[in-house]
Amino acid sequence: MTVPTHLPADALYHRCDPERFDFDTTDAIDDPCAIIGQTRALQSLHFGVAMEPVGYNLYVMGPPGMGKHSTVREYLQEKARERPTPPDWAYINDFDQPSRPRALRLPAGWGERLRQEMEHLLEELAAAIPAAFEGSEYRSHVQSIEDELKERQEQVFTRLGDEAQRHHIKLFRTPNGFAFAPLKDDEVVTPEDFQRWPEQEQRRVEEVVANLQEQLQKTIEQIPLWRKETRERILALNREVALSAVGHLIQEMEQHYAELPAVITYLEQVQKDVVENVKDFLQKGEDSEGQGHTAPTDLHRYKINVVVDHRKTEGAPVVYLDHPTYLNLVGRVDHIAQYGTLVTDFTLIRPGALHRAAGGYLIVDAHKLLTQPYAWEGLKRALYANEIRIESLEKMLSLMSTVSLEPEPIPLDLKVIVLGDRELYYLLYEYDPDFAELFKVAADFEGHIDRSHDNAGHYAQLIAGVARKERLRPFDRAAVARVVEHGSRLVEDADKLTTHLRSIADLLREADHWAKTERSRVVGARHVQQAIDHQIYRASRIRDHLQEEIRRNILFIDTAGARVGQINGLSVLSLGDFAFGQPSRITATVGLGEGSVVDIEREVELGGPLHSKGVLILSAFLAARYAQKQPLSLAAHLVFEQNYGQVDGDSASLAELCALLSAIGGLPIRQGFAVTGSVNQLGQVQPIGGVNEKIEGFFDICRARGLDGEQGVLIPAANVRHLMLKEEVVRAAAEGRFRVIPVARVDEAIAVLTGTPAGEADAQGNWPADSVNGRVMARLCEMTQLRQSFAEHGRDRHDDDPGEGEE
Amino acid sequence: MAEVECRVRRILLALDSSEDAVALEAAAELALGLQASLRGLFIEDVELLRLAALPFATEVSLGPARTRRLEVDRLERELKRQAERLRSRLALAAARHRRPWTFHVVRGNLLESIRTAAEAADLYVLGRPAGPARNGRRGGGPVLVLYDGTGAADHAIEAALALAAPGAQLLVVVPQEALERDMERQVHARLLAAGHPARLLSIRHAGPADLAAGARQQRAELLVLPEGEWLRDPSGLRRLLTEAVCPVVIAR
């Protein structure tokens, strides 16, 4: 087996040659673009938008910052222009059932027109009706009708009085009615005098009085009928007068809406209601019964509440709902406080985003939608029913049964586009059966693309697009090349480019800023580099603090010399959008035991399941390689020194295995190296994540202490294609002051680390005695024998001792 | 309301069980217009009580037109309640117009009681003793006033001007004999000074029957008269009150 050698400097960084671009600056690019590498997502989007059947709504997924929102919105706006503008909608009063306002459909832009015309009509009515009713003609007409009633009453009472007078009887008003009494000398006869009258005269008087009373009774019975008749005549007169004042105004308005039968019907109802309730327009008038009115009168019921107004909409609407609460989505009915109670009417109906987007497109963020109570349920209900029904949450949940408004539902023809991450998509698909029914199309945004020649060109187009859209300075070709390289670093793959638009756009903006501070008219590579460096600088306070702790020997990391059972592992810490590598000392100790490898992190519950898995694999590796002919008689302990937090992942398993082999075989490990990589049971080294950060993390420590050419990092061979290391590392490697060594097997790693060949087993399975494996094997045999001798000694003692339980 | 020279200090409102709300309202308005005090007088008509004592005395009630026995005790209780009701209404009207007021209840002959009480008043308002009840409504209808050239007639004109609503018609009735004495010019001058539009009518004889007929004919809301000898005739006053169909205001 050959000992692996370090990588050449050019393998540590995949450069982008600026000369491959045929432009000087991005200003020269004729076809800038806003997005790259999303062919699959865009085709899904086009398909979903084009599909008309119900349920073909879209879920656009991908991590935040991919440009989903702007891509979707721009595409929808383009498609929306080709579609017809949907109708306006207004809520109007239902004069028969005011608690159920009616929805009125109007051609686009006509809602506001109708509202204004109704306002104007009300103003006209408010002037015309009082004028008609305050006129002397009307008043004298009413007076005449009322006087007729008075005269009629007076006449019958006068006639009755005269009739009584003829019989020397007088009509009296009592507190509760009327009574008749016989007179003597123009005065009411006293009971004594009456008793003295002849019986015949008494009977005659009584009969006359009885007769008069009967006539009076009939008269009084007639009075309510006469009053009713008078009221009806006055009401009829009111209707006639009102109609003369209202009719021509309504007719004039009807001419404007001749082709809209629903509006004509509504105006007819308005006319009928105005005529029937004409007193509401009379500020200080009197009705037929002489009762004064209280002013001002509420004329709200004639208003038009335009809830969807497309006067300024060209094509179909595209609505993005930033705060998708249930009420913002489906609309609500507001209330106002009035004399200590909350009241409402149809003018307080407020539209939701569904109203505004009906006939077009609605864009919502999945996370926001799902975190708002009942918003998701409300959206699904509307999509299933194809209508927008405004219901309060209390009513929807049957929490309250208060009588309130029930606005007529508005038909819904809508394409909903939900933007979210993949996890939410799969959770919804798994747990909500309605989701698959209503969101049949998924548009999945790709996180990276191949770093091909063409795609590098597309990157240049994207940079040009962002620069023009955001009015940034043009980027020269070197700057573009540097952005391409950074695009690879962001996805940790020298052969890929990120499609994370926000990261790219942020970098471009910041590079532009640095160019501006330098008064440069063009953004160059140094400005891009300055932007990258400053991003790292802003985010690296904790990294710098930890590295300082290492330099001051508070955190123990050796970068020179050799130690048995001690190795430098590498981990990655992610804080926000910044990740950095951090060396950690891993130690292994061994003693006699039963073949166990104890992960101390796991014992104290600081190790995650993946880390534990890695350690268990080590046990399996040891058993498979060294315990074919004898049992493993060791007890090994592994620990991340000075670690006080959670450890997870298996990227330290190669380092742990090397430390363990060093401890068993008594072979010192060179501390100038750090190791990263996971191993499988067969000793193969597997790739890990964060390789660039890890290398740079150890490099920074070594550079701070002085690079001696003996330092470096062992990485899985499979990670070589991920290398996009920073300039200092590449330069140090080129100067032979730092090494990055790829390893494919654990034997390669231990050979480099110990400077001792790992050794290969011969046909009988024996290892060369001076090899790492040979020394490990020898030590394990020794431990097995020791253990066996202890066991035999123990058995002998046990045989000599009769023991308490044996007979 | 037209501004008038104020000489009236005391206004008497005399009502019986007919509860004439128009009369009450007119009295309150007069008190306000003339800045006078208001004296309410409720008369428990002895004739009505005598009627109730008759063995066959019955009354036909308003509303549901039913006949029931009229009893003295019950009538007295109802008259008391009515008086109390009237007192409250008078208090309310006086408070609304911020005028001083008093209220009294007397039992006696209606016209005699009025005449006695009127001695201490400058002007008295008489409700209608019989006939259908009237709602309290003022304004709009004409005020009919008799001008016979006496000093009381000047007071009557003042009262009529105070009662005539802005824009309402004031009808001044001048007896034929007064016209012959060139009273027309005097009344013209009087009305011109007041600045209220008025129409002059002539009447052959200023007796109760003619005045009542005139009030009915003109659909007058109020009839304002100067106190005269004829008013001392109980039957004349009774006839006027019964036939005029509106409250009568008498100036002294």
Side-chain angles (χ1 to χ4, degrees):
Chain A
M1 188 181 69
T2 55
V3 176
T5 56
H6 63 272
L7 292 169
D10 59 3
L12 304 183
Y13 191 79
H14 184 173
R15 293 195 183 282
C16 177
D17 185 1
E19 297 306 316
R20 71 193 306 172
F21 299 119
D22 57 0
F23 55 84
D24 290 331
T25 70
T26 49
D27 270 355
I29 295 174
D30 296 329
D31 50 352
C33 64
I35 192 161
I36 54 168
Q38 302 298 353
T39 310
R40 189 203 313 267
L42 289 177
Q43 284 184 3
S44 303
L45 180 64
H46 298 177
F47 169 76
V49 169
M51 284 296 284
E52 287 183 0
V54 175
Y56 278 85
N57 296 297
L58 291 104
Y59 188 102
V60 178
M61 58 178 155
M66 298 296 293
K68 297 188 298 294
H69 188 279
S70 56
T71 304
V72 168
R73 194 159 188 166
E74 281 167 20
Y75 176 71
L76 291 178
Q77 278 167 347
E78 187 186 316
K79 296 300 289 180
R81 278 194 285 273
E82 300 164 7
R83 294 188 57 190
T85 306
D88 283 359
W89 285 93
Y91 272 107
I92 52 174
N93 185 40
D94 185 325
F95 296 101
D96 296 326
Q97 283 183 291
S99 66
R100 295 190 167 183
R102 284 169 38 215
L104 186 65
R105 180 193 168 113
L106 295 155
W110 283 50
E112 181 58 19
R113 178 181 159 180
L114 178 63
R115 190 193 69 76
Q116 285 179 2
E117 287 199 29
M118 276 305 289
E119 291 284 338
H120 182 64
L121 176 70
L122 277 182
E123 284 169 16
E124 294 271 337
L125 291 177
I129 291 174
F133 280 84
E134 281 161 14
S136 59
E137 195 181 338
Y138 170 76
R139 295 189 72 84
S140 68
H141 210 141
V142 171
Q143 188 73 46
S144 155
I145 293 169
E146 287 176 344
D147 286 346
E148 273 182 45
L149 173 67
K150 263 195 233 170
E151 276 171 28
R152 208 168 175 180
Q153 291 181 31
E154 294 298 342
Q155 275 172 10
V156 293
F157 277 93
T158 307
R159 204 165 48 235
L160 264 177
D162 291 349
E163 171 82 10
Q165 191 97 36
R166 275 200 296 279
H167 297 282
H168 300 288
I169 288 170
K170 186 180 171 186
L171 174 65
F172 278 88
R173 184 82 165 82
T174 67
N176 292 317
F178 295 92
F180 291 97
L183 300 176
K184 182 186 171 189
D185 299 332
D186 271 349
E187 286 192 353
V188 174
V189 68
T190 61
E192 295 77 21
D193 286 345
F194 184 76
Q195 291 299 333
R196 284 197 285 272
W197 283 2
E199 199 176 326
Q200 194 181 349
E201 179 61 9
Q202 287 182 16
R203 271 205 304 278
R204 188 192 68 78
V205 168
E206 284 178 22
E207 277 173 21
V208 172
V209 167
N211 183 269
L212 287 168
Q213 279 176 341
E214 195 181 336
Q215 288 182 51
L216 179 64
Q217 199 170 346
K218 283 180 183 164
T219 300
I220 291 174
E221 281 170 355
Q222 287 296 309
I223 289 175
L225 298 176
W226 297 340
R227 281 189 182 153
K228 184 168 177 270
E229 191 184 309
T230 303
R231 273 200 304 273
E232 284 169 356
R233 286 178 62 192
I234 290 175
L235 281 175
L237 174 68
N238 287 350
R239 277 196 287 272
E240 195 182 313
V241 172
L243 196 58
S244 70
V246 174
H248 69 281
L249 294 172
I250 297 270
Q251 277 169 17
E252 191 183 321
M253 202 171 152
E254 280 177 348
Q255 286 172 6
H256 303 162
Y257 299 90
E259 290 174 11
L260 298 173
V263 178
I264 299 294
T265 307
Y266 169 68
L267 290 174
E268 283 167 0
Q269 287 167 343
V270 168
Q271 177 172 305
K272 185 166 170 270
D273 192 77
V274 169
V275 169
E276 283 174 3
N277 299 285
V278 73
K279 64 180 184 299
D280 294 348
F281 288 85
L282 302 173
Q283 290 281 307
K284 197 69 183 174
E286 290 179 344
D287 62 16
S288 59
E289 293 300 296
Q291 301 298 314
H293 299 301
T294 53
T297 315
D298 183 10
L299 300 175
H300 255 57
R301 62 182 182 280
Y302 304 116
K303 285 185 179 292
I304 302 284
N305 181 8
V306 181
V307 290
V308 179
D309 179 7
H310 284 306
R311 270 179 302 164
K312 293 177 184 169
T313 310
E314 289 176 16
V318 178
V319 175
Y320 169 64
L321 182 57
D322 180 46
H323 186 43
T325 61
Y326 173 80
L327 298 180
N328 285 348
L329 204 58
V330 301
R332 65 185 191 276
V333 179
D334 280 346
H335 291 73
I336 51 171
Q338 213 170 65
Y339 304 116
T341 55
L342 292 175
V343 296
T344 186
D345 62 39
F346 74 99
T347 62
L348 296 173
I349 297 173
R350 305 286 182 243
L354 291 178
H355 293 89
R356 293 194 300 277
Y361 308 97
L362 174 68
I363 306 169
V364 207
D365 292 321
H367 188 262
K368 291 178 184 172
L369 184 66
L370 291 165
T371 50
Q372 291 296 335
Y374 301 102
W376 175 240
E377 290 304 315
L379 177 63
K380 286 195 298 180
R381 267 165 52 107
L383 291 176
Y384 266 128
N386 289 323
E387 64 178 27
I388 315 163
R389 183 180 291 273
I390 298 177
E391 268 183 349
S392 67
L393 270 176
E394 310 90 82
K395 191 164 182 190
M396 194 181 95
L397 301 173
S398 304
L399 292 177
M400 289 178 76
S401 58
T402 314
V403 176
S404 188
L405 290 190
E406 285 183 38
E408 184 183 349
I410 288 177
L412 179 64
D413 168 24
L414 178 69
K415 185 76 74 181
V416 179
I417 296 94
V418 173
L419 310 177
D421 58 34
R422 294 188 180 92
E423 189 181 0
L424 273 181
Y425 176 82
Y426 294 117
L427 283 172
L428 284 168
Y429 209 94
E430 186 68 23
Y431 293 108
D432 188 347
D434 298 328
F435 182 68
E437 195 70 35
L438 292 171
F439 291 85
K440 293 182 191 294
V441 181
D444 196 350
F445 270 61
E446 197 69 68
H448 53 75
I449 53 173
D450 287 341
R451 187 174 158 180
S452 63
H453 181 80
D454 286 348
N455 281 343
H458 293 149
Y459 237 60
Q461 288 174 295
L462 177 70
I463 293 166
V466 174
R468 279 178 212 178
K469 186 179 172 188
E470 304 205 11
R471 301 185 175 189
L472 307 179
R473 285 160 183 74
F475 284 65
D476 67 20
R477 61 174 78 170
V480 171
R482 184 67 192 93
V483 175
V484 169
E485 289 166 0
H486 190 63
S488 285
R489 171 63 192 249
L490 287 175
V491 284
E492 292 201 353
D493 196 325
D495 299 331
K496 300 286 180 185
L497 289 170
T498 184
T499 55
H500 195 262
L501 274 181
R502 188 178 65 205
S503 301
I504 298 168
D506 285 350
L507 179 64
L508 300 181
R509 288 185 203 108
E510 290 169 27
D512 175 75
H513 169 78
W514 294 117
K516 180 184 165 188
T517 53
E518 215 180 73
R519 298 177 188 278
S520 172
R521 285 192 290 183
V522 174
V523 180
R526 68 178 180 283
H527 302 125
V528 176
Q529 186 59 48
Q530 197 171 357
I532 295 167
D533 292 344
H534 206 267
Q535 280 179 350
I536 294 169
Y537 170 72
R538 293 195 302 267
S540 61
R541 186 187 64 83
I542 291 175
R543 182 198 66 176
D544 294 349
H545 176 72
L546 287 170
Q547 288 183 353
E548 187 189 7
E549 298 285 281
I550 292 170
R551 286 197 305 273
R552 294 171 66 201
N553 285 324
I554 293 169
L555 287 176
F556 297 157
I557 298 292
D558 288 344
T559 52
R563 298 278 186 280
V564 173
Q566 176 180 307
I567 195 166
N568 293 321
L570 292 167
S571 56
V572 173
L573 300 181
S574 291
L575 298 168
D577 60 352
F578 178 62
F580 60 93
Q582 160 83 0
S584 298
R585 174 176 289 180
I586 299 169
T587 57
T589 55
V590 293
L592 286 180
E594 294 180 350
S596 63
V597 178
V598 177
D599 174 13
I600 290 178
E601 314 302 323
R602 185 188 176 193
E603 295 297 308
V604 296
E605 297 182 350
L606 282 175
L610 294 178
H611 183 253
S612 299
K613 180 188 171 190
V615 175
L616 290 173
I617 286 173
L618 302 189
S619 299
F621 171 80
L622 290 178
R625 176 168 282 191
Y626 305 114
Q628 296 299 313
K629 297 176 184 170
Q630 59 181 17
L632 279 177
S633 302
L634 86 167
H637 292 83
L638 284 168
V639 67
F640 266 71
E641 302 291 358
Q642 293 182 290
N643 170 53
Y644 309 106
Q646 285 289 327
V647 175
D648 203 4
D650 63 352
S651 69
S653 60
L654 174 63
E656 288 167 330
L657 181 54
C658 292
L660 199 54
L661 293 175
S662 162
I664 297 169
L667 289 161
I669 286 176
R670 296 175 180 174
Q671 299 298 304
F673 283 111
V675 179
T676 182
S678 74
V679 287
N680 63 17
Q681 293 190 93
L682 306 175
Q684 292 171 316
V685 177
Q686 301 167 144
I688 43 78
V691 66
N692 293 300
E693 287 82 359
K694 287 174 177 173
I695 294 170
E696 287 168 0
F698 190 64
F699 172 82
D700 287 342
I701 299 298
C702 295
R703 184 181 57 179
R705 287 180 173 167
L707 295 170
D708 59 11
E710 294 299 317
Q711 293 145 332
V713 178
L714 271 60
I715 64 167
N719 277 119
V720 172
R721 61 179 53 190
H722 299 144
L723 293 176
M724 285 298 291
L725 290 164
K726 61 182 179 181
E727 178 64 24
E728 295 98 311
V729 181
V730 177
R731 201 181 315 121
E735 292 166 359
R737 294 185 294 131
F738 194 77
R739 292 177 287 170
V740 176
I741 301 171
V743 290
R745 300 189 60 82
V746 66
D747 289 335
E748 293 174 7
I750 196 69
V752 172
L753 291 169
T754 59
T756 305
E760 289 182 36
D762 60 18
Q764 286 74 42
N766 296 318
W767 310 88
D770 55 350
S771 68
V772 176
N773 286 316
R775 294 179 71 161
V776 169
M777 192 69 198
R779 174 74 173 138
L780 287 173
C781 287
E782 189 183 332
M783 293 173 90
T784 304
Q785 286 165 6
L786 269 172
R787 194 161 181 271
Q788 280 173 346
S789 69
F790 278 121
E792 283 165 7
H793 179 68
R795 194 164 51 244
D796 292 345
R797 280 185 62 193
H798 183 72
D799 290 345
D800 294 344
D801 183 1
E804 291 176 359
E806 287 187 10
E807 292 180 2
Chain B
M1 192 163 286
E3 284 183 22
V4 293
E5 192 183 346
C6 181
R7 292 172 200 152
V8 175
R9 295 278 175 243
R10 297 158 299 175
I11 294 171
L12 170 73
L13 167 68
L15 290 173
D16 66 350
S17 57
S18 60
E19 267 192 81
D20 192 334
V22 182
L24 189 144
E25 211 172 295
E29 278 181 26
L30 268 175
L32 174 70
L34 303 174
Q35 291 297 291
S37 64
L38 196 55
R39 185 185 182 216
L41 179 70
F42 182 75
I43 303 156
E44 294 179 354
D45 191 350
V46 287
E47 286 204 289
L48 188 60
L49 290 162
R50 202 181 297 152
L51 186 163
L54 289 169
F56 58 88
T58 50
E59 68 173 340
V60 180
S61 65
L62 284 167
R66 280 200 296 265
T67 307
R68 65 173 179 176
R69 176 94 185 106
L70 196 57
E71 289 162 351
V72 176
D73 290 349
R74 186 163 56 79
L75 179 65
E76 285 182 333
R77 281 198 302 275
E78 283 170 357
L79 285 171
K80 277 192 173 55
R81 273 203 295 275
Q82 205 169 22
E84 191 51 43
R85 207 157 50 233
L86 190 65
R87 183 183 185 284
S88 303
R89 291 174 71 173
L90 183 72
L92 205 64
R96 194 165 60 240
H97 295 309
R98 299 184 179 192
R99 299 313 310 152
W101 64 283
T102 57
F103 184 80
H104 304 275
V105 179
V106 295
R107 180 176 291 189
N109 178 277
L110 183 68
L111 298 178
E112 283 299 322
S113 301
I114 291 172
R115 194 178 298 149
T116 308
E119 293 298 326
D122 301 312
L123 191 143
Y124 48 106
V125 182
L126 306 176
R128 199 178 168 217
R134 288 176 292 200
N135 293 324
R137 196 188 75 167
R138 290 273 296 116
V143 174
L144 196 75
V145 56
L146 175 69
Y147 185 79
D148 59 6
T150 60
D154 280 336
H155 291 171
I157 292 286
E158 280 174 20
L161 286 166
L163 285 166
Q169 209 173 19
L170 186 62
L171 298 174
V172 183
V173 181
V174 184
Q176 194 64 45
E177 56 176 19
L179 283 175
E180 287 164 7
R181 282 187 281 133
D182 202 18
M183 291 294 169
E184 193 180 356
R185 198 172 49 80
Q186 285 180 30
V187 77
H188 260 307
R190 182 76 187 82
L191 292 169
L192 202 63
H196 194 98
R199 191 155 64 91
L200 257 61
L201 302 170
S202 71
I203 190 168
R204 197 168 50 83
H205 173 63
D210 293 332
L211 287 168
R216 278 206 312 275
Q217 210 171 23
Q218 298 297 331
R219 291 174 176 162
E221 203 168 51
L222 287 167
L223 178 58
V224 186
L225 303 173
E227 192 180 51
E229 282 303 314
W230 59 273
L231 284 173
R232 302 198 182 278
D233 171 18
S235 61
L237 183 56
R238 184 186 299 279
R239 185 165 188 186
L240 180 74
L241 292 176
T242 312
E243 295 179 4
V245 201
C246 63
V248 177
V249 179
I250 297 171
R252 304 183 68 216

